[in-house]
Amino acid sequence: MARYRYVVADVFTDTPLTGNQLAVFTDARDLPEARLQELAREMNFSETVFVYPSEVAHVRIRIFTPAVEVPFAGHPTLGSAFVLAGPLQLDEITLETGNGVIPIRLDREGARIVFGRMEQPIPTIEPYGGAAGLLEALGVERSELPVELYDNGLPNVYVVLSSEAEVAALEPDLTRLGKLPAVIGVNCLAGSGSLWKTRMFAPAGGVAEDPATGSAAGPLALHLARHGRIAFGDEIEITQGVEIERPSKLYARVDGSSERVERVEVGGSAVVVARGEFQL
């Protein structure tokens, strides 16, 4: 039997058993292609990562939800940086993804990594044509800002509600959400200033509700900046995952302007909580 080792990290948190779970198979070179989706389904986390050699970065990663492979996602990228840069004693690591090379800068306290900041791909933006059906599936009457589709490797739409209590009370029709066109992540948020609360539903990707969505955090900050709720250059703190008992904290900032976005950065912490191996 072959042995395939993995590490489990909780991402966008500094407290074990909170945040978003991630499995990282640290050497996937000998894993048969057919096993990748099977292992992601077996782990049943929002995402599972498989690590390969790269000619353009420290390593190449492939990212799978329980249902599909995706070119980029935030918490797998940040979590993989914590897992891989720790033993290599790196203060910056580059990860090749399906949507380009992502640099992650790491802050340390002694040998321990305590925080990471990744520069994300700048998303494309377009109006979301299925807004009426989306709002009906969410059970809400309106969004305070236009419902728009952002894509940085994962498509996400954003619905801004009037209060954090309204976000917490959501009981969406997940079957209807999963059938909506051209969308994986449905993000519902509220807040003001530097503090925002969000929930993300992704039934089309095999995830009913995500505890922490790094790929959506950068576009979320961009959405708020483009529509005047925050200023470009402001860092916001995003709370997510409370309703599913996996509280998370994400930090996001966008530099530039509506006409020219220069940089999208998302940060957070992560903790390694388990190691194991599959014998297949």
Side-chain angles (χ1 to χ4, degrees), residues 16-21 209 211 240-248:
L17 309 184
T18 65
N20 202 350
Q21 299 156 294
E209 182 170 354
Q240 189 176 343
V242 174
E243 287 71 24
I244 53 175
E245 299 183 356
R246 302 286 308 190
S248 308

Side-chain angles (χ1 to χ4, degrees), residues 42-123:
E42 179 78 8
M43 298 306 300
N44 203 33
F45 296 157
S46 296
E47 279 106 359
T48 295
V49 164
F50 301 92
V51 180
Y52 298 86
S54 171
E55 296 182 355
V56 295
H58 285 99
V59 296
R60 179 169 69 95
I61 61 172
R62 294 177 64 184
I63 304 168
F64 286 75
T65 77
V68 295
E69 183 176 8
V70 296
F72 171 74
H75 104 272
T77 303
L78 183 68
S80 295
F82 272 73
V83 169
L84 300 170
L88 293 174
Q89 303 178 29
L90 297 174
D91 293 325
E92 181 171 335
I93 188 170
T94 54
L95 305 181
E96 180 187 357
T97 73
N99 202 25
V101 174
I102 307 298
I104 303 99
R105 303 191 319 276
L106 301 163
D107 298 335
R108 292 176 178 269
E109 291 180 357
R112 185 169 67 95
I113 301 171
V114 295
F115 199 86
R117 293 176 176 83
M118 59 180 153
E119 184 175 348
Q120 295 190 338
I122 294 174

Side-chain angles (χ1 to χ4, degrees), residues 11-13 17-20 164-165 167-170 188 196-201 209-213 237-250:
V11 186
F12 288 115
T13 182
L17 309 184
T18 65
N20 202 350
E164 294 188 8
V167 174
L170 286 170
C188 303
W196 292 82
K197 174 185 177 65
T198 190
R199 296 175 68 184
M200 197 282 265
F201 308 99
E209 182 170 354
D210 199 34
T213 315
E237 177 185 297
I238 303 166
T239 300
Q240 189 176 343
V242 174
E243 287 71 24
I244 53 175
E245 299 183 356
R246 302 286 308 190
S248 308
K249 293 288 186 186
L250 306 87

Side-chain angles (χ1 to χ4, degrees), residues 122-127 145-150 158 218-233 254 256-261:
I122 294 174
T124 61
I125 309 167
E126 61 185 76
L145 297 180
V147 179
E148 294 175 316
L149 177 67
Y150 292 71
Y158 295 86
L220 186 156
L222 178 55
H223 189 58
L224 296 174
R226 288 180 60 243
H227 294 288
R229 292 297 182 94
I230 63 172
F232 281 89
V254 178
S257 65
S258 295
E259 294 74 28
R260 184 174 182 271
V261 179

